[in-house]
Amino acid sequence: MARNKKKGLDPMIVLVIVLILFVALTAAAWIGSMWISGDVDGTDRTSAAVLAQQQAEVNARNEQKLAQYAAEVEAYNARINANTPNEAWPEAAAQGWDVVDLTNYPLEVPGQITVNREDVMFGGLLLVNEWHSRPEDFSDAGILPIYSYAKDSGLSSFWENSTCKLHPVAIDALIAAFKDAKAIGYDNYVLAAGNCYRSYEDQNKIFQAQVDDYRERYPNYTEEQLYARTKRSINYPGTSEFNSGLAFTLYLYDGSDYYKQTPFYQTEDGKWFLENSWKYGFVFRFPVVDYPMDNTVDKTYKTGMSQKLNCYRYVGKGNAAVMNHLGLCLEEYIEYLQEHPHIAVFENGVKKFEITRQQVGDDASSFPVEINRLTNNYTMSLDNMGGLITVYEY
């Protein structure tokens, strides 16, 4: 009897099964990829919601930090703008001007910068007198004719002629002072030729001319005696205040003559400038007994100048305020800062200036300087005694 043969699967059925499996696997792979990428409808919505919540939390934290930072900045600026003193400092007088000694108190926000010597030569406090010649590296390249610098100031000529020169910091302060004076009717000031800036060569010509004159008048004098006698009235080259580029002699002009018959300080113009010049950064340079005003304290023993010379010197507003309040000449003021190298200046209890002095020497072309980063409004000046004085204005 014949055996029945075992029948195999129909090829068409096999093909259909393979196709079904392929489609199923492809669909599964697509769904898996969509699941991973979040493109499946439900999953996409869930992931988007999670991301949105996370973003909202990040934004909220950022806004909180920004608000906190803004509040801190506002509080900082309020303290600066109010000029409120450090509570740890000695208390300043509530009325009038007051100078507080902070020698034993550090700067509030200390920092350090590098300063070039040439950049701080003309800050205002360069001491020049018979004992301190101007520095050897002094350059007059920045000293300018007043007529060309101030021609567009809106003021009438306040210089005798084109030889009148000063450093721009002094000219700017003069322009500010003369504009205010003009506003109240005082418009007669003039700077005398020959008594503004003098170069070393100019001073030497003046000095040597006087030596030659004395040589003819006193033939028995030695050279040493001739020089000593000349120094009584004329500074040796390099030691005259007029060699600084920051000093000048002031007169009044009456329309025909630079030298009025009425003494300068018997005029309203003269009195106004003497009383107000410190507000613009100037000081009367050489006080002698009863000059410029009656009862003036004689400073000859400090300045070395006994002549009644109507000389003013630019020192900067902060320094002038202290010198005016304490009654100090320039020599005394630098000595004061040597003894009190950190001070604060107040007006009616409000901080106006902070002043420091640091010893930097006279040799280096640049040097590190500690500063107070509480404000960027500051000026620096060498004092020609190895010190650098920084004045912060608030």
Side-chain angles (χ1 to χ4, degrees), residues 249-313:
T249 296
L250 193 60
Y251 293 98
L252 295 177
Y253 181 62
D254 64 0
S256 61
D257 190 358
Y258 286 109
Y259 310 94
K260 274 191 169 183
Q261 297 300 315
T262 304
F264 187 86
Y265 294 107
Q266 291 181 21
T267 67
E268 294 304 312
D269 310 58
K271 291 176 183 177
W272 183 90
F273 196 84
L274 179 65
E275 293 172 0
N276 293 279
S277 58
W278 65 273
K279 300 174 185 176
Y280 303 90
F282 297 105
V283 293
F284 187 84
R285 183 64 181 94
F286 301 117
V288 298
V289 61
D290 293 333
Y291 187 82
M293 302 296 286
D294 293 343
N295 301 319
T296 296
V297 177
D298 188 11
K299 302 288 185 177
T300 300
Y301 71 103
K302 282 294 184 182
T303 66
M305 180 64 67
S306 60
Q307 299 179 60
K308 292 183 177 180
L309 187 63
N310 197 30
C311 177
Y312 284 86
R313 160 68 190 258

Side-chain angles (χ1 to χ4, degrees), residues 91-107:
E91 186 175 358
Q95 299 296 323
W97 287 86
D98 193 17
V99 179
V100 176
D101 182 13
L102 301 177
T103 299
N104 296 320
Y105 295 83
L107 297 174

Side-chain angles (χ1 to χ4, degrees), residues 353-374:
F353 304 100
E354 187 175 358
I355 303 173
T356 62
R357 183 185 186 275
Q358 300 174 62
Q359 196 71 18
V360 296
D362 294 317
D363 300 324
S365 60
S366 63
F367 34 78
V369 176
E370 187 178 15
I371 62 168
N372 192 350
R373 296 194 181 278
L374 198 59

Side-chain angles (χ1 to χ4, degrees), residues 62-322:
N62 286 339
E63 290 177 3
Q64 183 180 7
K65 290 180 179 179
L66 287 172
Q68 181 180 357
Y69 175 74
E72 292 174 352
V73 169
E74 183 178 0
Y76 175 81
N77 288 333
R79 183 164 67 89
I80 297 302
N81 294 331
N83 294 344
T84 54
N86 188 318
E87 293 181 358
W89 290 357
E91 186 175 358
Q95 299 296 323
W97 287 86
D98 193 17
V99 179
V100 176
D101 182 13
L102 301 177
T103 299
N104 296 320
Y105 295 83
L107 297 174
E108 294 172 276
V109 187
Q112 191 176 85
I113 61 173
T114 298
V115 174
N116 292 322
R117 179 176 166 82
E118 62 181 350
D119 293 336
V120 291
M121 184 75 71
F122 293 99
L125 288 184
L126 195 70
L127 179 62
V128 179
N129 58 25
E130 66 171 290
W131 305 285
H132 298 87
S133 179
R134 73 183 192 183
E136 293 183 0
D137 58 345
F138 181 100
S139 172
D140 60 6
I143 296 173
L144 305 175
I146 299 174
Y147 80 95
S148 61
Y149 188 88
K151 63 182 179 180
D152 297 325
S153 64
L155 296 168
S156 58
S157 300
F158 56 87
W159 51 91
E160 187 169 354
N161 58 42
S162 62
T163 66
C164 295
K165 299 179 180 180
L166 286 176
H167 193 276
V169 293
I171 304 176
D172 287 337
L174 272 174
I175 290 173
F178 289 162
K179 282 185 174 181
D180 287 349
K182 182 179 180 179
I184 55 177
Y186 304 141
D187 193 24
N188 299 310
Y189 303 104
V190 62
L191 277 66
N195 288 338
C196 293
Y197 174 68
R198 298 176 191 165
S199 67
Y200 186 93
E201 292 73 21
D202 292 337
Q203 188 70 24
N204 189 49
K205 289 178 182 178
I206 296 172
F207 187 87
Q208 290 300 329
Q210 187 62 68
V211 170
D212 293 340
D213 178 66
Y214 283 150
R215 184 179 288 110
E216 291 182 5
R217 293 165 58 184
Y218 306 103
N220 295 327
Y221 274 27
T222 65
E223 286 297 301
E224 184 178 353
Q225 289 174 319
L226 290 171
Y227 272 63
R229 188 175 183 89
T230 300
K231 286 182 181 179
R232 294 179 189 177
S233 58
I234 300 175
N235 291 98
Y236 190 78
T239 67
S240 169
E241 184 62 274
F242 298 120
N243 296 151
S244 70
L246 300 169
F248 55 89
T249 296
L250 193 60
Y251 293 98
L252 295 177
Y253 181 62
D254 64 0
S256 61
D257 190 358
Y258 286 109
Y259 310 94
K260 274 191 169 183
Q261 297 300 315
T262 304
F264 187 86
Y265 294 107
Q266 291 181 21
T267 67
E268 294 304 312
D269 310 58
K271 291 176 183 177
W272 183 90
F273 196 84
L274 179 65
E275 293 172 0
N276 293 279
S277 58
W278 65 273
K279 300 174 185 176
Y280 303 90
F282 297 105
V283 293
F284 187 84
R285 183 64 181 94
F286 301 117
V288 298
V289 61
D290 293 333
Y291 187 82
M293 302 296 286
D294 293 343
N295 301 319
T296 296
V297 177
D298 188 11
K299 302 288 185 177
T300 300
Y301 71 103
K302 282 294 184 182
T303 66
M305 180 64 67
S306 60
Q307 299 179 60
K308 292 183 177 180
L309 187 63
N310 197 30
C311 177
Y312 284 86
R313 160 68 190 258
Y314 176 81
V315 296
K317 290 183 180 179
N319 301 310
V322 178

